[in-house]
Structures are given as C-alpha cells and as structure tokens.
Amino acid sequence: MLNRIAGITWRRPKVVLLLVTLFAITAGAVGHDVEHHLKAAGFTDSASESERATVVLRDALGYDATPGIVALVRAKDGGELHVDDPAVRAEVARLSDRLAAVEHVGRVVDPLADPRGARGIAADGRSLVISAHLSAQDIEDVGGAAATEAKETVRSDLLDVGFAGFAPGFDEVNDQTRKDLTAAELIAFPALTVLLLLVFRGVVAALIPLLIGVLSILGAFLFLRIMSGVVDTSLFALNIATALSLGLAVDYALLLISRYREEVDRHGHGEMAHRAMVVHAGRGVVFSGATVAAAMAALVVMPQRFLYSVGAAGAAVGLLAAVIAILVVPALVALLGPRLDALSLRRGPSVAAQSGGWYRLARGVMRRPVLVAVVSAGALLAAAAPIGGALLTGPSAEAVPPGQPSFEPGQYLAAEYPRDVTEAITVTVRGSATDADLAAMRGEISGLAGIASAGPFVRASPEVAFATVGARDAALAGRAQDAVRAIRDLPPPTGAQTLVSGNTARFVDQKESLVANAPIVAAIIIAGTTLLLFLLTGSVVLPIKTLLMNALTLSATFGILVLGFQHGWLSWALDYPGPDAVEVTSLVFLFAVTFALATDYAVLVLARIKEQHEAGASNEDAVAIGIGRTGRIISAAAVMIAVVFLAFAVSPVFFMKQIAVGMAIGVIIDTTIVRALLVPALMRLFGEWNWWAPRPLQRIQRRIGFGEV
C-alpha cells in the first residue's frame, strides 16, 4: 500500500493535491457552520434514575419539577423590594407572564401570586425569585435556548432582573466555549508558526504542518456536520477536534519531513528518498493514526453525549490526519524537491538531524537500567499519589466563570435563599401510594442527615406524586450526595416506586454511569492498542510494556491535576476560577486522549527501533539509534502539541482548563520521563525478549502484519 502511495505521490503529485483541495473545499462548504448544529455538552445518561424520574414528572406535569431558570428580581437601587407596592406586584406579574411565554417553559411560579412560591421571597425583603420550569427533557441544550430568549425578552425598567439556574449557566458555558475556540486558534497558530520556523529552519517546510492541520480541521468539521445529522453531537467535540488536528498534523509532518531530509543526506533529492520517506515514516504515521483512532473510538460506547461525541471526533481526526499527511506531505515534497528548504532562516541542524545528545542519553540509561527504571517509575508513582484524595465535581453553578451574567445572581441566590429554591432534590413516587404513605415518607426524609427541609408531596396525577427537598449543602457537596443516596435507600410505599432527581441526583448517577461503563472503554482501548502494536512489532512483550508505561503516564497526569486544581498549586498561574475539585467526566476523556497520544509516541519510537533491529542491529544498538533519530522529532512535536493544548487553557470554563492542562501534562511526561528514560531502561533489561512472541502468533503477524511493502 505504501509503495503504491509513494509511486502515485511521486508521479502524480498535482493530481493528488487537486483531489485534496476539492475535498477541502467540500468540507469547508458543508462544515463551515457546524457549531450551529451541535448541542450542549451532554453529561447525563438517559438510562439513569434521575433522567427517568424527570421523564415521569414531565409526562405527568408537562414540565420538570425542578426550575431550570430562576429570575432574580431586586430593586434598582439595591435596597428593599417593596412587595406590597401595587406597581411592584404588577411588574412582577408582567415579568412572570413574559417568562411563561418563552419557548420550552412549561410553568412559571410568581411568589407574589402563588402560595407555593412563598419561599421565593428573601427573608430580608430585598429580592424575590420567579421560577421557570422547562417542558423539555434535555435541559442542557434546549434549556440554553430558553435561557437566551428569557434574557433577551424578560426585562424591566422598574426592577433589576438577573438570571441564574442550571439552564442559564449551561447556556453561558456553551457560548464561552465557542469564544474559547476562536481565542485558542488565535494563540495556537501564531505560536505554532514560530516554533515550526525554529524547528524546520525554513519558511516553506514550516508551513507544511500548518497546512496539514488546516486540512484536518476542515475534515473534522465535515465529519461533525454529518454526525450531527445522525445523532445529537456535543459542542465540545469541536474544540477537541481542533486541538487534536493541529497536534497530530505537527507530529506526522515532522516525522515525514525529517525522514525525507535524512534520506536526502544519503541518496540526494529524488525518487529513492521520496519512496523511503513514505514507506518507512509512512508506516509509523499509519499505525499512529490507527492507534489514536482506536483509543478515541472506545468512548463511543459511553452514553453521555459529551464523551461519545469527542470519542467519535477524535477517532475521525486520527484517521484524517494520518491519511492527509501520507498524501499531502509526499506530494508537496515531490513538487518542491530542493525548494523544500527554501527561505531558510539560519544554518544549523534541523529537526531531521540525528541527535547525538539523545543517542548518548539512551546509551547512558542502558548502562544503569535498573537504577533509571526504579527512579523514573518511583517519580511517576509519587506524582500519582494525590489521586487517592481526589474530590470529584460535575456540572453545576460552579461551572459558570466569573464575569458571566448568571455568576453574580447565582452567588446571591446561594447565599440568601434555601437550597430547594434553586438546587432542589425532587423525590417522585409512582404507583398506588396513599396520602398517609406520602406523609410518612416525607417525615422519614425530613429526619435524614443532610436534609434542611422537605416539602409536602403534591399529586401530579393519580399515580404520580412528588416532593421538593432542600439539602443543607451545595448541590454537589459530599453530604448532599449522601442525602440523595439515603433517600433512595428508604423503602418505597407498598405498590409504589421511588425515583430521585435534581442536580445532586444527576451527579450521583453520572459517576455511577462512568464507573459502570469505564471497564468496557478500558477493555476496548487495551485490546485495540495491543493488537495494533503487535501487528507493528511482532512482539507480545512490547505491547504489554507500552500499556504499563501508559498507565504510569496517566496516573501521574491525574495526580498532578489533583495537586494543581484541587490543592491550588496551579491556580495562580492559570487564573483558575473553578471549584477545588476535578471534573469527573474530564478524567474519562483524559484517559482516552492521553492514552492515545502516549501510544502515538510509542509507535513512532518503536517503529524506528524495529526498523534498526530488522536491519541487523543488536537490541541495544537498535534502541540507541532509534531514540537518537526520533528524540529530537518527538521532543519538538511534544512541545508544539503542548502549546496547542495550553492555548485552550485560556478558557475561563474550569473543566476546559483542566482538560487542556491535563493533555499538555500527559504529553510532556510521556516524551520526557517515559520515552527518554523508561523506554531505553526497560528495553535494555528485557534484551532480546523484547521481540518475543509465541510461534503461532509470529506466523499470524508475518501473514497479516503491516510490513514495509
């Protein structure tokens, strides 16, 4: 296959580039407005108890029992709100009517007109809240549209009106995410351009990775646009696809161009150097793209929209970046020839040159393999230690960055109002429960630890009743979660079923869903990675070692995240506005991405080591030469992909900041401690056993493995 690609890109480079250009134009035309077809993050599992409870109540009531939008009404001067003033009462009634007219709003509670809304008047008389209950199930997405309309149309010249609640918060986070994508691109592209100029020493060569990145991004836009027409797709997949496209484009362009320069030093510009680049470096690119795709695709089995969307997008980007690079870079090289190095900035060794420093480091490590392996692994395990005390968090009012319109009202509501006004726990009883049964259950709930108040059960239908419960602590606090679990543990009335919903219950269910599905994701990633590495190397030992080293990289990355965000070690550097905890969904995402990128670098190194070993070099010589010839490339690629990821850390959305920093940390750890120290140390310790596989598997690998043909 690669020989054929080498032949086509050498003989017909203009045709190849024309076809790629047509693809790019089509992708841009179809996918240019992709963000308008994507939905909000999507952190919930539709099969969870909290989501089923929401469906039951929505079907019975026509709306969600928990308010999705809360309008905070205060006097213009910040003083006392005179609720007995006829003008104020009339204005509150008008605002309530206007809020009720907003699309997707099923019910509005005016605390001045509805006795059940009495708790919506502040004890100090300075404010009141108008609660809007949404009629849609997907509060994370449809609620955003309702919140936008409410903020635009529910206004007052007499009173100060602010908005908070789950829907406005999510809406603002989504809008911020769209802005962050543009801001990250404005940072990443110039920074990458400068770094590429330093690495390649020439303008022409430096532009090629950026071109590959742009083409990959356009392809990702096309994929997401098509995907959004088939299944609900998360907006956050757009950010991840952009970052991965740029990062992998740099990796693959660096690998191909550096190999071409190396072959030119041996054979001069011509078809021989071109073919060697495609066949040898191309194999690493193809396997790298496949391993990234396999790791990311594992997330598709997750029920959360956020995770399956970024999984599908990441898999598509892995394949797109590899295919585009293996076609475009050789075609451009064939057209440019010696002009590839035109517009050189300065003389000196380029990234293509073998690094004597990396070669000597590998030799030095292999002289003391036990010491280096023990110290390196010990350092990574020490970095991983904080995982044991990790506090997890999820979507809540704390996700809203300071400066957003709902931030201040949300802070005010949390300080001045009972929890059940904005962060209620809703208990639904479905079945043949009597009024006495419901009253008894209310008493039991009121007596539970962590419960501040429990309202009476209200009949939504003959078979469905619900009660609103207030916790003593914030929605995602540990005691609030314990209270939800305690309510669920209460025996339901005879012939009835109890279902608990609300943001606290949603978070409890989210964690349980992630734990339940994580083994499947891990098994898919491990199986896919092991198979691909075996087909590449013909060894069963190297894939197992790679998995163990990836596990160390992941553990250390997660541990540093806990130190950086939960314990505040990075708060000063990152202007971190979020909770002192780690977002739980981010950990699953980071597991897949970091694993994919760590395997990516493993493939690039092992492919070169295997090439040397097959050429007759001893195990130690193959390792030293392979690391010497890839060390400069991989370290340069790691710095640049870390820059791309860190560009997204400018986001004030706390979990986007955690994801960006986590990906950058994982890349740096893997390309320094793991690739520079652990790989040569373990390769030396295992010796020729590195290449061992049972004879039947050896025959299978020779038959179906990916050779240089």
Side-chain angles (χ1 to χ4, degrees), residues 583-654:
E583 206 284 317
V584 63
T585 313
S586 301
L587 293 181
V588 179
F589 167 76
L590 282 172
F591 170 78
V593 175
T594 305
F595 195 100
L597 292 174
T599 309
D600 170 37
Y601 292 123
V603 166
L604 301 184
V605 175
L606 290 176
R608 200 59 188 267
I609 293 174
K610 175 175 166 45
E611 180 187 331
Q612 293 298 317
H613 191 261
E614 288 182 339
S618 67
N619 178 69
E620 290 184 39
D621 288 342
V623 172
I625 295 171
I627 291 178
R629 291 181 178 174
T630 58
R632 191 190 297 268
I633 300 166
I634 290 179
S635 58
V639 169
M640 285 185 274
I641 198 172
V643 166
V644 171
F645 292 152
L646 288 174
F648 285 84
V650 300
S651 172
V653 179
F654 85 92

Side-chain angles (χ1 to χ4, degrees), residues 45-57 137 430 497 499 501 509:
D45 180 351
S46 60
S48 64
E49 178 179 323
S50 56
E51 290 299 292
R52 288 186 284 113
T54 302
V55 171
V56 169
L57 275 182
Q137 174 72 18
R430 179 173 60 177
Q497 177 189 26
L499 299 170
S501 57
D509 292 342

Side-chain angles (χ1 to χ4, degrees), residues 76-239:
K76 284 283 188 182
D77 60 2
E80 183 179 355
L81 182 66
H82 299 286
V83 295
D84 293 329
D85 186 337
V88 170
R89 299 182 73 88
E91 183 66 357
V92 170
R94 187 190 69 81
L95 292 171
S96 299
D97 291 342
R98 188 63 200 87
L99 188 56
V102 170
E103 187 178 10
H104 306 302
V105 171
R107 177 181 180 239
V108 169
V109 178
D110 175 355
L112 300 181
D114 190 332
R116 288 177 293 178
R119 291 172 65 82
I121 302 174
D124 61 5
R126 290 177 177 270
S127 64
L128 61 82
V129 295
I130 305 171
S131 301
H133 299 251
L134 301 179
S135 58
Q137 174 72 18
D138 192 350
I139 189 174
E140 294 179 4
D141 185 65
V142 174
T148 298
E149 183 181 345
K151 286 184 284 188
E152 291 174 350
T153 61
V154 183
R155 303 185 180 207
S156 174
D157 295 328
L158 177 64
L159 303 172
D160 178 73
V161 182
F163 292 90
F166 199 84
F170 243 86
D171 183 49
E172 290 165 7
V173 168
N174 286 329
D175 286 345
Q176 185 63 52
T177 301
R178 291 185 177 95
K179 296 174 185 176
D180 294 340
L181 179 60
T182 302
E185 289 172 343
L186 291 175
I187 295 171
F189 273 100
L192 272 182
T193 301
V194 172
L195 291 172
L196 287 167
L197 287 172
L198 294 174
V199 167
F200 281 108
R201 309 286 197 255
V203 174
V204 174
L207 291 176
I208 293 178
L210 291 178
L211 174 62
I212 303 301
V214 170
L215 292 172
S216 298
I217 290 171
L218 290 174
F221 285 3
L222 174 63
F223 173 81
L224 288 173
R225 179 65 184 87
I226 295 171
M227 181 178 172
S228 68
V230 178
V231 64
D232 290 347
T233 306
S234 173
L235 175 67
F236 290 105
L238 198 60
N239 298 53

Side-chain angles (χ1 to χ4, degrees), residues 339-544:
R339 289 172 295 175
L340 177 66
D341 296 318
L343 303 178
S344 295
L345 299 180
R346 64 187 178 91
R347 295 180 180 179
S350 72
V351 75
Q354 176 171 329
S355 170
W358 283 93
Y359 178 87
R360 290 190 296 274
L361 175 62
R363 286 290 189 188
V365 168
M366 288 189 288
R367 283 195 291 271
R368 299 174 181 82
V370 175
L371 176 64
V372 173
V374 170
V375 172
S376 300
L380 293 176
L381 290 173
I387 295 175
L391 295 178
L392 301 178
T393 189
S396 71
E398 291 184 289
V400 179
Q404 293 293 334
S406 71
F407 180 80
E408 188 277 331
Q411 296 285 304
Y412 181 93
L413 288 167
E416 302 295 334
Y417 284 85
R419 295 288 177 190
D420 57 337
V421 173
T422 57
E423 297 179 332
I425 299 169
T426 302
V427 182
T428 302
V429 176
R430 179 173 60 177
S432 56
T434 66
D435 290 343
D437 291 333
L438 296 175
M441 189 169 191
R442 179 194 182 191
E444 290 181 299
I445 293 172
S446 299
L448 293 174
I451 297 298
S453 64
F457 278 90
V458 177
R459 294 281 181 181
S461 73
E463 295 295 315
V464 176
F466 71 96
T468 299
V469 178
R472 295 186 182 279
D473 298 285
L476 305 190
R479 289 203 305 174
Q481 295 178 57
D482 291 340
V484 166
R485 296 187 185 96
I487 294 172
R488 286 176 169 173
D489 288 340
L490 292 175
T494 303
Q497 177 189 26
T498 303
L499 299 170
V500 183
S501 57
N503 199 29
T504 308
R506 189 183 295 116
F507 181 55
V508 171
D509 292 342
Q510 179 189 12
K511 291 192 295 183
E512 291 178 355
S513 175
L514 293 176
V515 170
N517 289 283
I520 303 172
V521 173
I524 293 173
I525 291 176
I526 291 170
T529 301
T530 301
L531 176 61
L532 287 167
L533 287 174
F534 168 70
L535 293 177
L536 173 68
T537 64
S539 165
V540 296
V541 176
L542 291 175
I544 293 173

